[in-house]
Amino acid sequence: LQTSAAAPNARSAWSVAVHCSAPEPWTIYVPVRVVDRRDVVVMKRSLAPGMPVMADNVAIEQRDVASLPYGYIERLDDVIGKTLRKPVMVGTAMSPDAVAAPTSIRRGQDVTLISRAGGFEVRASGRALGDAANGQRVRAENEDSHRIVEGVALDGNAIEIGND
């Protein structure tokens, strides 16, 4: 008997061909399910969108990651303190698209605009024109010049304007 694996038609579904060439040639295809068990972050209680993920809401459990179509998260630090983007039910393995960094700057909030170049730093007052988490790009209006600028949210009240 000889075997050969055909390309998978899904992440966990494979088909293995078993061949016999004598006395009468025949082939049979055997369905095979791949199981890849790993530690993943799982919800200990259901939460609604917009809720922060706290340490007592999540746990590490072993799951078959081959059956998780939207991916998975392996470390608690990658979800704790983040905000849910969609509802997550108890027992669900957390997927990367289920969480987002918490919003640190809100639309209409007073912010400090910071521009740095050549060892100098210039600060100005501004107003955020959108919501952003730390590290995300956001537009703001300079309150003195009324120019619209874009930069990166640094913390709850500062935006660093790029000098590109």
Side-chain angles (χ1 to χ4, degrees), residues 41-94:
V41 177
V42 176
M43 290 301 294
K44 287 174 39 179
R45 66 181 207 131
S46 299
L47 293 177
M51 304 242 352
V53 178
M54 308 302 280
D56 60 343
N57 300 140
V58 290
I60 297 287
E61 291 183 10
Q62 280 227 336
R63 294 289 171 91
D64 175 14
V65 297
S67 67
L68 299 174
Y70 303 109
Y72 56 93
I73 298 173
E74 296 179 283
R75 298 172 352 123
L76 291 172
D77 291 343
D78 292 340
V79 297
I80 294 174
K82 293 195 175 176
T83 304
L84 286 179
R85 297 172 72 195
K86 59 184 184 179
V88 181
M89 307 308 287
V90 65
T92 302
M94 295 292 292

Side-chain angles (χ1 to χ4, degrees), residues 15-162:
S15 185
V16 175
V18 180
H19 310 282
C20 181
S21 56
E24 289 285 323
W26 58 268
T27 301
I28 184 171
Y29 293 91
V30 180
V32 177
R33 183 165 139 29
V34 175
V35 176
D36 183 4
R37 297 191 65 78
R38 296 186 191 191
D39 287 343
V40 299
V41 177
V42 176
M43 290 301 294
K44 287 174 39 179
R45 66 181 207 131
S46 299
L47 293 177
M51 304 242 352
V53 178
M54 308 302 280
D56 60 343
N57 300 140
V58 290
I60 297 287
E61 291 183 10
Q62 280 227 336
R63 294 289 171 91
D64 175 14
V65 297
S67 67
L68 299 174
Y70 303 109
Y72 56 93
I73 298 173
E74 296 179 283
R75 298 172 352 123
L76 291 172
D77 291 343
D78 292 340
V79 297
I80 294 174
K82 293 195 175 176
T83 304
L84 286 179
R85 297 172 72 195
K86 59 184 184 179
V88 181
M89 307 308 287
V90 65
T92 302
M94 295 292 292
S95 62
D97 68 336
V99 291
T103 301
S104 61
I105 292 181
R106 298 257 180 223
R107 180 182 179 156
Q109 175 181 341
D110 291 333
V111 294
T112 301
L113 305 174
I114 302 170
S115 181
R116 297 181 176 111
F120 290 98
E121 179 177 284
V122 177
R123 292 176 175 254
S125 296
R127 184 165 315 276
L129 298 178
D131 295 345
N134 287 351
Q136 286 185 326
R137 296 197 70 75
V138 63
R139 291 175 5 130
E141 179 182 11
N142 181 311
E143 289 190 347
D144 293 329
S145 68
H146 300 289
R147 282 188 59 208
I148 305 298
V149 295
E150 185 174 313
V152 176
L154 296 179
D155 59 30
N157 65 355
I159 299 172
E160 183 171 10
I161 307 306

